[in-house]
Amino acid sequence: MDTIALAATLLFTHGQTTERTIVAAERLGGALGEPVRVLPYWGELTVEIDGTQVSRIVPVKPLGVDMGKVLAITTVVDEVCSGTLRAEAARTALASAGRFPPASTLRFALFAAVGALSLGVIFGASEVTSLLLMALSAAIGALVRRWLSGVSGNPLIQPLSAAAIAGAVAAVASRLHLSDGIALVAFCPCMVLVPGPHLLNGAIDLARTRIALGIARLVYAGLIVLMICAGQLIGLIVGGAPLPAAGPAAPVPLIADVIAAGGAVAAFGTFFSMPWRQLPFPIAAGMLAHAARWALISFAGANVATGAFVACVLVSVIVTPVVDRWHLPFAAVAFSAVVSMMPGFFLFHAARAVVELVSIGPSAPATLLTTIAANGATAFLVIMAMTFGLILPRMLFERFLPAPT
């Protein structure tokens, strides 16, 4: 029971989908001669021997995403099930896999800079100074996040602090007139903090009628987004700058868009501690999806929601069979491939309009309300399109082509 509960807890904690966590734990239980049922909830996970009242309740919250640990843990489960690892050694092996180190601090900071710079290119930034400021801000934020992870167990402090740094850097750049793209300088480093895997895992849980767990995951993702917004505003206020006006995104050539998408995917793969040897796969999937989205919008006249939906369906179809064979978390790999399609720019427009509406008060023009409604609705539609585009093929694969066990 201890061994099975440990395996389920580690997978659940580090971002594996709920369904694959249950399957892995039940496989391990069968190999150890204890058929079990796994009942996951937010805050605890129950493992009980099937047909009995014997159970083990473990306190656990699915707060993290670490593909390296998930891969190492699943490898131990496979070895026990295949008989290449003795049952007596399984618990020690699982504990060692749970201590698998994340991406190094240097790699983490470097790819945070690459991710912010890549997103800047995708959203139309072309000024070298602006791109360098984004990269610097994201790298400093990454270093602070790593430091905070060692001194505090609260996961909300990290995005709050990193977003505040992004806002402060943008405020200083605005006061010193260092860049004409202050909105993107403030916005792009915050985009690398978006909790996409938690959003996808929550949506998948809701689709599987695990209502309480799905809602809890989505609320947690929403809290992180709230911390990002609050941190950015705090940084701008402390730096003495107003929320900068964000103009329309400039059109980006196909080659630049696709290459930058690859950089963004590599950054998020690093954030989720994806092994180097497997990183090229989501990069290729993300670049292909971006090319498809660019073609739909540029040549077929599709709107952003339709383009995101088609691109996400393509990514899900490509990624699903591979992540099941490699035993990687679907949400982390899939989100890494499509992160640059998140409608952060529309949310930025809406947030700025809300702040302006509050500051002006009753005399605010009606156009502010239409701006908030239009940008908020567009962001919501894009997020819904991306979510359905990613999870529908995943659910169909699991229904008609079960993953190898």
Side-chain angles (χ1 to χ4, degrees):
M1 286 290 288
D2 287 341
T3 301
I4 299 167
L6 177 60
T9 299
L10 290 173
L11 290 172
F12 194 54
T13 301
H14 295 299
Q16 182 61 291
T17 58
T18 306
E19 190 69 17
R20 299 310 300 168
T21 297
I22 293 172
V23 169
E26 290 177 349
R27 287 180 59 218
L28 182 60
L32 296 177
E34 294 286 359
V36 298
R37 294 176 62 225
V38 179
L39 307 173
Y41 307 95
W42 185 273
E44 67 179 37
L45 187 146
T46 301
V47 179
E48 61 182 36
I49 297 179
D50 202 12
T52 73
Q53 294 184 342
V54 180
S55 63
R56 180 67 48 84
I57 299 176
V58 183
V60 59
K61 296 177 182 177
L63 302 178
V65 180
D66 192 311
M67 287 190 271
K69 289 181 180 178
V70 169
L71 179 59
I73 294 158
T74 310
T75 300
V76 173
V77 173
D78 288 343
E79 290 175 349
V80 174
C81 293
S82 65
T84 58
L85 180 67
R86 292 186 308 135
E88 296 80 5
R91 182 172 173 79
T92 301
L94 286 169
S96 298
R99 294 191 294 269
F100 198 81
S104 68
T105 301
L106 177 61
R107 178 188 171 192
F108 189 76
L110 175 62
F111 275 88
V114 170
L117 189 150
S118 299
L119 290 170
V121 172
I122 290 170
F123 289 114
S126 57
E127 188 183 23
V128 174
T129 303
S130 298
L131 295 172
L132 291 177
L133 286 170
M134 296 173 203
L136 176 64
S137 175
I140 296 173
L143 293 173
V144 171
R145 288 162 64 193
R146 271 296 170 89
W147 174 73
L148 287 172
S149 68
V151 299
S152 173
N154 190 325
L156 300 178
I157 293 177
Q158 297 179 39
L160 176 69
S161 301
I165 290 170
V169 169
V172 172
S174 176
R175 292 173 67 87
L176 298 179
H177 305 289
L178 297 179
S179 170
D180 294 329
I182 297 300
L184 289 176
V185 172
F187 162 70
C188 290
C190 292
M191 274 292 289
V192 302
L193 308 172
V194 174
H198 300 293
L199 174 66
L200 288 182
N201 278 332
I204 292 172
D205 283 333
L206 288 178
R208 291 191 171 276
T209 66
R210 297 187 180 100
I211 304 300
L213 179 57
I215 291 174
R217 287 187 189 269
L218 294 179
V219 169
Y220 175 59
L223 285 174
I224 294 178
V225 172
L226 181 62
M227 291 300 102
I228 294 170
C229 296
Q232 186 184 69
L233 289 174
I234 290 170
L236 288 167
I237 292 170
V238 170
L243 191 63
V252 181
L254 174 61
I255 297 300
D257 186 73
V258 170
I259 293 175
V265 176
F268 275 83
T270 295
F271 299 155
F272 305 143
S273 299
M274 190 173 196
W276 282 106
R277 67 182 182 278
Q278 292 164 339
L279 195 55
F281 170 67
I283 291 176
M287 294 173 73
L288 178 62
H290 247 264
R293 174 180 174 271
W294 189 95
L296 281 170
I297 294 175
S298 300
F299 297 140
N303 57 40
V304 290
T306 301
F309 175 77
V310 173
C312 288
V313 168
L314 178 62
V315 165
S316 187
V317 169
I318 294 171
V319 163
T320 294
V322 177
V323 296
D324 284 336
R325 186 162 297 278
W326 287 356
H327 302 301
L328 291 172
F330 168 78
V333 178
F335 178 75
S336 297
V338 300
V339 59
S340 53
M341 301 179 197
M342 288 295 288
F345 215 64
F346 295 102
L347 291 173
F348 190 88
H349 276 286
R352 184 182 184 280
V354 168
V355 172
E356 190 174 351
L357 178 66
V358 172
S359 63
I360 296 175
S363 59
T367 52
L368 279 179
L369 294 176
T370 57
T371 298
I372 294 169
N375 286 287
T378 302
F380 175 77
L381 288 175
V382 172
I383 292 173
M384 290 295 293
M386 291 179 66
T387 302
F388 279 105
L390 289 172
I391 69 173
L392 284 179
R394 171 71 181 181
M395 301 286 288
L396 291 172
F397 267 95
E398 290 183 347
R399 175 66 179 84
F400 296 106
L401 296 172
T405 59

